[in-house]
């Protein structure tokens, strides 16, 4: 299984971006998914998570601005980001818990996509 994130780029403050994460390979089911980010010079931290069959959770700094979603039919994970701020500048990573078959579940990470918000 591989995850590939896309949709990052340079945007002005107040703008919007939608990050996409495509899962490919042997996939029976995608369960919990999440987006993380690593700002310049800082550690990677959780931004948003969506447990299978549950409700989304967000870090306080993005609540009301970011929306995480998943399309199981397309094996896609999304992060809609609105009203972007310079402090949102970071490399964004998608993570997914994937079942390649009924018996096992593994955690996979995408390689990251750069989001830069100019003031």
């Amino acid at each position: 299984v591989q995850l590939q994130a896309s949709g990052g780029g340079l945007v002005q403050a107040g703008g919007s971006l939608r990050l996409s994460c495509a899962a490919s390979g042997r996939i029976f089911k995608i369960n919990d998914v999440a987006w993380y980010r690593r700002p310049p010079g800082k550690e990677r931290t959780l931004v948003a998570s969506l447990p299978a069959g549950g409700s989304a959770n967000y870090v306080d700094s993005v609540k009301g601005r970011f929306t995480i979603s998943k399309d199981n039919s397309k094996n896609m994970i999304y992060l809609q980001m609105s009203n972007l701020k310079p402090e949102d500048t970071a490399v964004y990573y998608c993570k997914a818990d994937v079942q390649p078959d009924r018996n096992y579940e593994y955690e996979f990470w995408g390689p990251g996509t750069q989001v830069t918000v100019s003031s």
Side-chain angles (χ1 to χ4, degrees):
V1 174
Q2 290 187 325
L3 301 183
Q4 183 62 52
S6 60
L10 175 63
V11 64
Q12 289 188 330
S16 299
L17 283 174
R18 188 176 83 154
L19 303 184
S20 300
C21 180
S24 61
R26 183 178 177 183
I27 299 171
F28 171 72
K29 186 180 179 183
I30 299 176
N31 295 317
D32 298 359
V33 299
W35 287 92
Y36 287 71
R37 66 185 179 188
R38 188 199 307 270
K42 297 184 179 181
E43 298 293 317
R44 184 165 62 185
T45 58
L46 178 66
V47 175
S49 62
L50 180 61
S55 300
N57 295 284
Y58 302 92
V59 65
D60 286 346
S61 61
V62 308
K63 284 181 180 177
R65 301 189 298 121
F66 289 13
T67 301
I68 185 173
S69 61
K70 180 177 67 168
D71 187 334
N72 287 317
S73 67
K74 298 180 180 179
N75 292 332
M76 294 291 296
I77 307 158
Y78 303 101
L79 185 67
Q80 178 67 48
M81 305 184 295
S82 303
N83 190 21
L84 283 161
K85 304 176 180 181
E87 52 264 41
D88 295 318
T89 295
V91 178
Y92 284 73
Y93 301 87
C94 56
K95 182 176 78 74
D97 294 336
V98 180
Q99 290 181 258
D101 57 45
R102 292 181 181 274
N103 300 315
Y104 300 96
E105 181 184 81
Y106 301 98
E107 179 182 283
F108 294 93
W109 289 82
T113 184
Q114 176 71 46
V115 172
T116 303
V117 184
S118 62
S119 57

